[in-house]
Amino acid sequence: MGVDATFMKKIFLISFLAMALNAQAQVVVSVHETAKDQPVIPAEIYGQFSEHLGKCIYEGIWVGPGSSIPNVDGYRTDVLNALKALKVPVLRWPGGCFADEYHWMDGIGPREDRPKLVNNNWGGTVEDNSFGTHEFLNLCEMLGAEPYISGNVGSGTVEELAKWVEYMTAENGTMAELRAKNGRREPWKVKYLGVGNENWGCGGDMTAQYYSDVYKRYALYARNYSGNSLFKVACGASGDDYEWTRTLMKNARSKMNGLSVHFYTVRDWNHKGSALQFTPEEYYATLAYSYRIDEILRNHSDIMDAYDPQKTVALMLDEWGTWFDVEPGTNPGHLFQQNTMRDAMVAAVNLNVFNRHTDRLKMANIAQIVNVLQSMILTDGPRMVLTPTYHVFRMFNVHQDATFVPSEASCGTIVSCDGDVMPSFSQSVSRDSAGLIHISMANPYLDKAVSVEVNFDELKPRSVSGEILKASAINACNEFGKAPQVQPARFNGARVSGKKLTLTLPAASVVVLEIK
Ligand code: AHR
């Protein structure tokens, strides 16, 4: 997993030329902290997704109590601690495509008695079902995360899903007795229930019309027990399939609390490209393609507005992130990819976009939490690294449950070689319950620092502190057994003058400021 030398030369050349030309862009950000009645940014926008896929669950999270890898009741200690620091608000499980072939009863009871399963979606790996409902819901409790269960609609019955809900949440009755026999007397609180996943594809290959009827049937029998109130999420569109959203809103909106959508940063499904070796053109193309999410969220929201002007149904982007070729030598079905400063830029730009869509967007779950696609964490046996994406999520978690503050930036645009257009600067602002203002910013230019002037409506900051994430090369990553190449540092470069802040963002960097 080395860093490509030719690529590095190109980057150095570009950086050198940029310095020689004293290339520096100027951006003015206007922050309207006096604006009234702004939405709260749901913490769930910073949500995570964990599927039975490759080394996400097994090895990544769960090693079992008998493992030589240090663990707490079977959960690996290093990963658990890193996830606690991240403040994971919600965790989706068990899939993904896996969910529509998962039979939850195989994952309860004594672990040694649980049947083996073949993971048909992901490499045919044989799993021992040692991580099941108890292990997942207990993990959520340890992390303080809301569980988001994806139910099996594609190959499971209505009764199976109904009983799963009862098993998890009912205080009394046969399912509650079974749960108690398996070691858990108290029911868990389970808020989010996904009724199937990608039912237009791996979740049953259904049409929108057919699925909307199926959805209503499965949702009907997923009952509320013992004070637990389910937030039911219907399977949504892939990317810009607006017809799916229209059909679901037309036929089932009164029966759903949320409608999902999936969007991956993949420019060409037949040539996804390397996670580590890419040209500057590919970097900009990836970032600008990813920025399509802004339009996709807006278009789905507009359709939902037409059927639901009161915004009672939430939009849930329950899968998103970069998807590159697997690392050479790894199982193609395990979707294990490295994670570079490019992924950090994608994460920052996306999270800034999500913060602006929260009147309709109530959850987003990056795919996936450990060892799969755009992960927070990578493991290799007992070794673990935090990815650049992890650092962005940790830096941005100050926005969770904070009040959105409108802002705009006077910046230009970047047009990629694919013709995608994105702003040449990315920012969002919030105010937390203690009154602290946080501004998250990203400078996507590879070859230009950006000098930023931030103007508040009225606020005269008393102090400002911050963190910065940058690297010596855009394809820098954190590798097992080596000193991290990408990790946040304190940022002391912001200057206050009256209602104004000034700072310089280095090329390809992410900065989060805290303002008192
Ligand atoms: O995240 C990997 C897969 O991508 C999920 O299982 C599926 O829902 C999507 O196609």
Side-chain angles (χ1 to χ4, degrees):
M1 277 193 236
V3 172
D4 179 45
T6 322
F7 177 89
M8 290 287 288
K9 274 187 207 148
K10 271 191 189 174
I11 295 294
F12 281 135
L13 188 62
I14 289 170
S15 312
F16 177 76
L17 285 174
M19 279 187 322
L21 295 169
N22 195 20
Q24 181 143 330
Q26 316 275 330
V27 169
V28 177
V29 178
S30 304
V31 177
H32 306 297
E33 82 285 354
T34 56
K36 301 270 180 276
D37 302 326
Q38 296 303 310
V40 167
I41 298 170
E44 285 87 343
I45 296 285
Y46 293 82
Q48 299 286 339
F49 170 33
S50 56
E51 179 165 11
H52 286 243
L53 197 178
K55 298 192 299 174
C56 181
I57 300 292
Y58 297 108
E59 181 183 309
I61 294 173
W62 178 255
V63 287
S67 173
S68 59
I69 297 176
N71 67 84
V72 180
D73 298 335
Y75 308 94
R76 57 186 295 166
T77 312
D78 49 1
V79 170
L80 205 55
N81 289 339
L83 294 179
K84 282 181 185 164
L86 201 56
K87 293 197 187 153
V88 177
V90 60
L91 186 57
R92 183 170 181 251
W93 174 84
C97 294
F98 178 83
D100 283 281
E101 284 197 65
Y102 180 61
H103 300 286
W104 68 272
M105 284 227 174
D106 294 344
I108 56 170
R111 290 195 192 109
E112 58 281 11
D113 296 345
R114 298 184 192 176
K116 305 250 184 309
L117 70 81
V118 179
N119 192 329
N120 292 316
N121 284 285
W122 304 116
T125 307
V126 175
E127 299 184 5
D128 64 4
N129 264 310
S130 57
F131 190 94
T133 302
H134 289 246
E135 289 76 14
F136 173 68
L137 292 175
N138 291 345
L139 171 67
C140 288
E141 282 187 344
M142 291 164 100
L143 295 177
E146 287 285 357
Y148 178 5
I149 296 285
S150 281
N152 180 346
V153 167
S155 72
T157 63
V158 175
E159 184 189 14
E160 185 181 3
L161 183 57
K163 288 233 163 83
W164 198 8
V165 170
E166 187 179 338
Y167 184 87
M168 292 184 286
T169 59
E171 234 160 53
N172 302 303
T174 316
M175 287 294 110
E177 282 162 21
L178 181 59
R179 185 187 64 234
K181 195 174 138 226
N182 290 331
R184 173 82 186 202
R185 179 154 299 282
E186 286 300 301
W188 292 278
K189 285 282 175 229
V190 175
K191 182 168 176 187
Y192 297 105
L193 178 72
V195 181
N197 167 76
E198 297 197 348
N199 301 93
W200 37 262
C202 63
D205 216 354
M206 306 177 199
T207 63
Q209 180 68 43
Y210 179 71
Y211 170 73
S212 61
D213 288 337
V214 168
Y215 167 80
K216 286 188 275 193
R217 186 157 163 253
Y218 279 72
L220 177 65
Y221 299 102
R223 308 283 191 186
N224 288 331
Y225 294 96
S226 315
N228 188 68
S229 181
L230 290 172
F231 186 104
K232 297 174 192 170
V233 182
C235 157
S238 172
D240 61 1
D241 180 0
Y242 302 119
E243 211 35 54
W244 182 279
T245 295
R246 215 168 269 125
T247 308
L248 264 290
M249 288 304 286
K250 196 153 63 182
N251 295 341
R253 69 179 174 283
S254 65
K255 309 290 181 196
M256 60 171 89
N257 303 106
L259 178 58
S260 108
V261 59
H262 290 176
F263 177 70
Y264 282 100
T265 298
V266 185
R267 293 165 56 217
D268 177 351
W269 283 97
N270 295 317
H271 304 97
K272 298 191 198 78
S274 162
L276 271 177
Q277 296 179 12
F278 49 89
T279 64
E281 290 74 23
E282 286 169 323
Y283 159 75
Y284 285 118
T286 301
L287 208 54
Y289 183 91
S290 195
Y291 193 76
R292 285 188 190 184
I293 192 64
D294 187 41
E295 186 188 330
I296 286 173
L297 292 176
R298 196 165 40 250
N299 290 345
H300 285 294
S301 300
D302 287 350
I303 293 166
M304 293 173 81
D305 284 351
Y307 292 95
D308 173 36
Q310 304 303 320
K311 299 187 193 292
T312 56
V313 181
L315 183 58
M316 325 274 282
L317 177 63
D318 56 17
E319 289 186 28
W320 70 277
T322 58
W323 190 323
F324 299 118
D325 293 339
V326 298
E327 288 309 312
T330 65
N331 186 326
H334 286 184
L335 310 187
F336 180 84
Q337 67 191 39
Q338 246 299 358
N339 194 292
T340 67
M341 191 62 209
R342 172 174 67 169
D343 295 87
M345 298 303 296
V346 167
V349 167
N350 273 266
L351 293 172
N352 278 338
V353 167
F354 301 164
N355 282 347
R356 295 173 180 279
H357 281 277
T358 57
D359 60 331
R360 181 67 79 173
L361 183 70
K362 301 297 180 189
M363 190 190 289
N365 309 71
I366 190 166
Q368 299 192 6
I369 193 163
V370 189
N371 287 334
V372 172
L373 300 176
Q374 193 178 350
S375 308
M376 305 299 113
I377 294 171
L378 300 175
T379 66
D380 175 33
R383 302 189 294 180
M384 176 195 89
V385 292
L386 304 179
T387 66
T389 301
Y390 174 97
H391 294 306
V392 170
F393 267 72
R394 214 270 302 126
M395 288 164 70
F396 275 56
N397 70 18
V398 290
H399 290 307
Q400 293 187 18
D401 289 326
T403 302
F404 178 73
V405 173
S407 65
E408 69 269 344
S410 71
C411 63
T413 52
I414 291 173
V415 183
S416 77
C417 55
D418 297 336
D420 286 315
V421 183
M422 65 173 288
S424 61
F425 186 79
S426 160
Q427 96 290 344
S428 68
V429 187
S430 71
R431 187 190 342 241
D432 72 12
S433 54
L436 298 173
I437 292 204
H438 293 102
I439 311 183
S440 47
M441 293 174 260
N443 170 16
Y445 284 121
L446 288 177
D447 58 348
K448 276 184 213 172
V450 176
S451 103
V452 186
E453 182 180 305
V454 180
N455 294 312
F456 294 94
D457 282 348
E458 288 178 2
L459 180 79
K460 291 185 178 165
R462 282 179 287 121
S463 69
V464 53
S465 55
E467 272 188 295
I468 183 166
L469 190 70
K470 65 182 172 69
S472 57
I474 193 64
N475 66 344
C477 63
N478 295 333
E479 295 176 89
F480 300 115
K482 294 191 182 165
Q485 291 187 55
V486 191
Q487 59 179 345
R490 281 174 68 91
F491 181 77
N492 299 317
R495 299 283 162 264
V496 181
S497 154
K499 293 190 284 182
K500 187 188 291 185
L501 281 181
T502 49
L503 63 147
T504 298
L505 256 72
S509 68
V510 178
V511 166
V512 178
L513 295 180
E514 180 169 289
I515 294 139
K516 287 187 187 153

